[in-house]
């Protein structure tokens, strides 16, 4: 391969000749993000089930942004769904003081329901 051909690569990847081989100039993203459980679940799903998409995002440098967006969206949707379920089932903050066990049980149920929805809509797609 000629250097001219390598610079005109349709994928936009530059190469460096090391010995007899051309090695791609790949740079990992430098931005560090803290992943919550939804971001980690999405990353695991991509690595195990969508290897091509994972590799493309990793090489293009969009993986961190994607994971950050998914985890923020997931947390927002969880909060919205829990609020909707609280309103639908007439669960009030006053009940937290009067009947704690019932309130905690209902909130755990709402959170589990919301997480099931999130995993189906955002994480495992």
């Amino acid at each position: 391969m000629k250097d001219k051909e390598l610079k005109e690569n349709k994928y936009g990847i530059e190469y460096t000749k090391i010995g007899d081989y051309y090695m791609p100039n790949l740079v990992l993203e430098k931005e560090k993000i803290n992943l919550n459980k939804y971001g980690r679940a999405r990353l695991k799903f991509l690595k195990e089930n969508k290897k091509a998409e994972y590799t493309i995002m990793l090489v293009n440098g969009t993986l961190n942004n994607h994971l950050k967006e998914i985890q923020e969206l997931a947390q927002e949707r969880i909060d919205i769904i829990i609020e909707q379920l609280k309103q639908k089932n007439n669960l009030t903050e006053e009940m937290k003081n009067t009947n704690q066990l019932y309130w905690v049980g209902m909130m755990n149920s709402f959170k589990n329901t919301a997480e099931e929805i999130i995993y189906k809509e955002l994480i495992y797609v």
Side-chain angles (χ1 to χ4, degrees):
M1 289 187 176
K2 296 179 182 176
D3 287 336
K4 205 178 227 184
E5 292 174 347
L6 294 173
K7 290 181 181 178
E8 295 175 8
N9 185 324
K10 67 180 179 179
Y11 300 108
I13 300 175
E14 295 179 7
Y15 292 83
T16 303
K17 187 173 183 179
I18 300 174
D20 293 335
Y21 301 100
Y22 287 95
M23 304 298 287
N25 296 335
L26 300 177
V27 178
L28 294 177
E29 296 179 50
K30 294 180 181 179
E31 179 188 353
K32 295 274 185 179
I33 59 170
N34 292 325
L35 296 178
N36 63 15
K37 71 183 202 177
Y38 308 115
R40 288 190 308 269
R42 179 65 177 165
L43 178 61
K44 182 179 179 195
F45 176 76
L46 287 172
K47 282 182 176 180
E48 293 175 358
N49 300 296
K50 304 271 185 163
K51 293 176 182 164
E53 286 181 37
Y54 168 77
T55 304
I56 289 168
M57 284 192 277
L58 185 64
V59 170
N60 290 341
T62 59
L63 182 62
N64 280 349
N65 290 336
H66 173 75
L67 295 174
K68 186 176 179 182
E69 181 181 325
I70 289 291
Q71 74 181 12
E72 289 171 358
L73 189 57
Q75 191 59 55
E76 288 173 17
R77 290 277 295 135
I78 293 253
D79 295 340
I80 290 169
I81 292 169
I82 288 175
E83 280 303 313
Q84 290 172 345
L85 289 170
K86 281 171 59 174
Q87 289 174 1
K88 183 178 177 184
N89 293 288
N90 297 322
L91 190 68
T92 62
E93 291 297 314
E94 183 181 307
M95 289 180 176
K96 187 191 311 187
N97 297 327
T98 58
N99 194 350
Q100 286 181 341
L101 288 177
Y102 175 76
W103 189 87
V104 168
M106 291 301 288
M107 287 300 291
N108 285 340
S109 174
F110 296 161
K111 184 176 181 192
N112 290 337
T113 301
E115 284 185 344
E116 268 185 52
I117 293 168
I118 293 306
Y119 279 110
K120 287 180 183 175
E121 286 181 355
L122 292 174
I123 308 297
Y124 299 139
V125 291

